[in-house]
Amino acid sequence: MNNNLLFGTTRTAIRSRHALIAPDGHVASSLPGVVGATAVVLISPEMGAGFTELTITFNQDGRAEFPDSQIEAFVYVLAGSVTAQAKGERNVLSTGEFVFVPAVTPWSLTEPVPGSQVHIFLKKYVALPGVSEPGILFGRERDIAGQPFLGDESARLQVLLPDNLSYDLAVNIFNYQAGAHLPFVETHIMEHGLLMLEGRGVYRLEDSWYPVDAGDCIWMAAFCPQWFVAMGKTPARYLYYKDINRLTA
Ligand code: UGY
Ligand code: MN
């Protein structure tokens, strides 16, 4: 047992406006429709967030079935492969591939390679009058080129969903060369849910600086001041969610 666990310490920190969830604290939830699989809910409205973020790891013959509801879903395959079905559309998704499922669409994940792992963002869809709702979208991270972030070649953003008003969320992958960092401490109305995919660094959240590692999950409430620097000798990358394109006054 490592010393952290032996002495009852952890990097996990849950605050009212941000959270860092390290893998050592994960506890599985039993969820309706999820069988033969381990689901860990990392971020949810119970914490104060406006969305839910979870990971599901499948055993052989595991499955996850979600009924139609007002909730939209973004599913990204972290490891292995699984068959994703949304209404009549069906595709095998492997590592780095994803599907966006709009609200009011039943969907499922079945026939996993044992040990397959998916990361999911769930959000209640907010319609925009006069704008049509988005459709089902399958995609592959490798098909999406990284764009320099605010002109910085060492910090590149892959934007996984189309940039149009029908979407009320964005999901991106941020790729940092070792030593690259956000150019300033961001403070914005958009909320974030984030999973560290690779590498290490330091995340500033409000007035705290946290060492972060692959597998860590972070929640940033609206207006949470935030900054990141990639540390060590390898690149760092994270998958993250934000709510966009809507304003409630
Ligand atoms: O899209 C974003 O707001 C992004 N630059 N934030 C972040 O990486 N913490
Ligand atoms: Mn941000």
Side-chain angles (χ1 to χ4, degrees), residues 13 27 33 39 62 67 72 91 110-111 119-121 136 145 148-149 164 185 187 209 211 214 220 233:
V27 173
E72 60 193 344
N91 272 303
T110 57
E111 299 166 33
H119 204 71
I120 302 175
F121 299 98
I136 298 163
F149 185 66
N164 71 55
V185 180
T187 307
W209 281 256
M220 297 169 235
K233 299 203 184 304

Side-chain angles (χ1 to χ4, degrees), residues 30-71:
S30 137
L31 299 179
V34 178
V35 291
T38 303
V40 178
V41 179
L42 299 159
I43 297 174
S44 83
E46 282 76 4
M47 163 190 270
F51 66 101
T52 295
E53 181 169 341
L54 68 155
T55 290
I56 301 179
T57 307
F58 291 94
N59 306 329
Q60 190 156 18
D61 300 327
R63 53 199 294 125
E65 286 170 336
F66 294 82
D68 63 348
S69 69
Q70 293 309 309
I71 309 296

Side-chain angles (χ1 to χ4, degrees), residues 149 174 176 182 186 188 192 203 220 226 238 240 242:
F149 185 66
F174 216 138
Y176 296 81
L182 280 177
E186 294 182 359
H188 52 60
H192 286 319
Y203 231 106
M220 297 169 235
Q226 59 200 252
Y238 54 74
Y240 73 101
K242 63 179 171 184

Side-chain angles (χ1 to χ4, degrees), residues 1-211:
M1 187 182 280
N2 79 33
N3 280 344
N4 280 352
L5 305 183
L6 184 63
F7 291 109
T9 59
T10 177
R11 289 180 301 107
T12 295
I14 309 296
R15 305 286 178 257
S16 60
R17 311 274 312 147
H18 73 259
L20 167 67
I21 302 103
D24 58 17
H26 287 180
V27 173
S29 287
S30 137
L31 299 179
V34 178
V35 291
T38 303
V40 178
V41 179
L42 299 159
I43 297 174
S44 83
E46 282 76 4
M47 163 190 270
F51 66 101
T52 295
E53 181 169 341
L54 68 155
T55 290
I56 301 179
T57 307
F58 291 94
N59 306 329
Q60 190 156 18
D61 300 327
R63 53 199 294 125
E65 286 170 336
F66 294 82
D68 63 348
S69 69
Q70 293 309 309
I71 309 296
E72 60 193 344
F74 181 94
V75 182
Y76 177 90
V77 179
L78 295 171
S81 77
V82 63
T83 298
Q85 176 148 1
K87 268 192 188 145
E89 294 191 42
R90 184 182 163 93
N91 272 303
V92 176
L93 296 181
S94 299
T95 307
E97 300 180 341
F98 60 85
V99 62
F100 169 79
V101 184
V104 202
T105 308
W107 59 280
S108 65
L109 302 171
T110 57
E111 299 166 33
V113 170
S116 295
Q117 210 176 12
V118 299
H119 204 71
I120 302 175
F121 299 98
L122 300 172
K123 179 185 183 298
K124 189 165 184 200
Y125 181 63
V126 180
L128 190 61
V131 174
S132 61
E133 296 178 9
I136 298 163
L137 184 94
F138 287 90
R140 296 192 289 218
E141 174 214 306
R142 65 179 179 278
D143 292 342
I144 298 166
Q147 303 297 337
F149 185 66
L150 300 177
D152 183 352
E153 299 282 344
S154 65
R156 289 181 164 264
L157 203 57
Q158 289 168 282
V159 177
L160 303 186
L161 290 175
D163 179 15
N164 71 55
L165 284 176
S166 62
Y167 291 89
D168 68 347
L169 82 172
V171 181
N172 305 331
I173 296 178
F174 216 138
N175 301 273
Y176 296 81
Q177 293 302 312
H181 54 83
L182 280 177
F184 56 91
V185 180
E186 294 182 359
T187 307
H188 52 60
I189 190 171
M190 300 85 81
E191 191 179 12
H192 286 319
L194 178 160
L195 177 71
M196 286 293 296
L197 295 173
E198 283 174 33
R200 302 184 139 185
V202 173
Y203 231 106
R204 176 183 172 163
L205 302 168
E206 298 183 270
D207 295 328
S208 299
W209 281 256
Y210 298 96

